[in-house]
Amino acid sequence: MKFCSECAHPVTVAIPEGDNRPRFVCTNCGTIHYQNPKMVIGSIPVWEQDGELKVLLCKRAIEPRYGYWTLPAGFMENGETTSAAAARETEEEAGANVELGNLFTLLNVVHVHQVHLFYLARLVDLDFAPGIESLDVQLFSEHEIPWSDLAFPTIRTTLELFFADQHKIRAGGTYGFHTHDIVGPMRAPVQPD
């Protein structure tokens, strides 16, 4: 941040009185510009038929990670609940109608100042199609997931936890609620020679 959004004067970095962290502070009008983590909200849309469970993934049409697969997710908007954001992002990115279940994962992604939340979701029908941020949308069973082409560590972690819980459910268990910290940046894509 270079300029105050209240009065347009340059800001400086300082620890305000009574605070313990450096903040962007306007020395002209006194506004303290707090920056807080952004919320990324998504769903794990599933379809089950004849005992086979499949997850809906979207192939990204935008950077970062253009061409990589992800669960439908995006930034929460002001005035939204987390569940409304999950349903909206699923509709926008995958054209899919879902019935949301419980919150499944809460992932702290500290190095990019984000918190990712994923809800369990059941596809209402198979009427889905790529939105403007997706190149493709497909259903994948566990063994079909393009693990090496997943866009982000939070997607891999959520899918691994989801399928681990699926194995527990078959043995009489239930879905859990999972929290994890994603501590390092993702690896850069490998460029062909």
Side-chain angles (χ1 to χ4, degrees):
M1 179 174 217
K2 295 183 181 184
F3 299 98
C4 178
S5 59
E6 298 295 317
C7 72
H9 278 77
V11 294
T12 60
V13 176
I15 298 175
E17 185 177 329
D19 203 337
N20 61 1
R21 295 175 187 264
R23 311 282 185 188
F24 290 107
V25 178
C26 179
T27 57
N28 183 61
C29 72
T31 299
I32 301 168
H33 298 277
Y34 295 95
Q35 294 183 317
N36 303 104
K38 294 193 179 290
M39 303 290 288
V40 173
I41 315 294
S43 71
I44 311 163
V46 299
W47 182 260
E48 187 168 2
Q49 187 170 4
D50 300 326
E52 184 178 26
L53 185 77
K54 293 190 173 195
V55 176
L56 189 69
L57 297 180
C58 305
K59 191 176 221 181
R60 291 177 60 82
I62 59 172
E63 292 293 350
R65 308 293 280 176
Y66 178 93
Y68 284 78
W69 292 93
T70 185
L71 291 164
F75 291 109
M76 184 176 177
E77 299 288 351
N78 289 335
E80 269 186 325
T81 63
T82 55
S83 59
R88 176 186 54 78
E89 286 291 343
T90 304
E91 196 282 323
E92 285 179 3
E93 294 188 5
N97 297 310
V98 292
E99 180 181 286
L100 287 181
N102 291 332
L103 184 60
F104 182 69
T105 53
L106 184 155
L107 304 160
N108 297 297
V109 193
V110 178
H111 63 280
V112 291
H113 319 295
Q114 296 175 0
V115 176
H116 293 206
L117 304 174
F118 287 93
Y119 280 85
L120 297 169
R122 184 186 65 78
L123 287 164
V124 174
D125 53 45
L126 293 176
D127 184 22
F128 55 80
I132 61 170
E133 295 183 0
S134 299
L135 297 169
D136 192 8
V137 182
Q138 290 183 34
L139 286 166
F140 294 93
S141 59
E142 181 178 9
H143 71 275
E144 297 170 327
I145 298 285
W147 295 103
S148 61
D149 290 329
L150 294 177
F152 306 107
T154 53
I155 303 305
R156 173 179 284 280
T157 299
T158 296
L159 288 171
E160 287 172 345
L161 291 166
F162 176 77
F163 286 115
D165 276 12
Q166 276 297 304
H167 295 293
K168 291 177 189 172
I169 287 168
R170 288 186 194 114
T174 60
Y175 286 110
F177 172 66
H178 305 276
T179 62
H180 283 275
D181 297 334
I182 306 294
V183 294
M186 64 189 161
R187 292 187 311 246
V190 176
Q191 300 298 323
D193 293 331

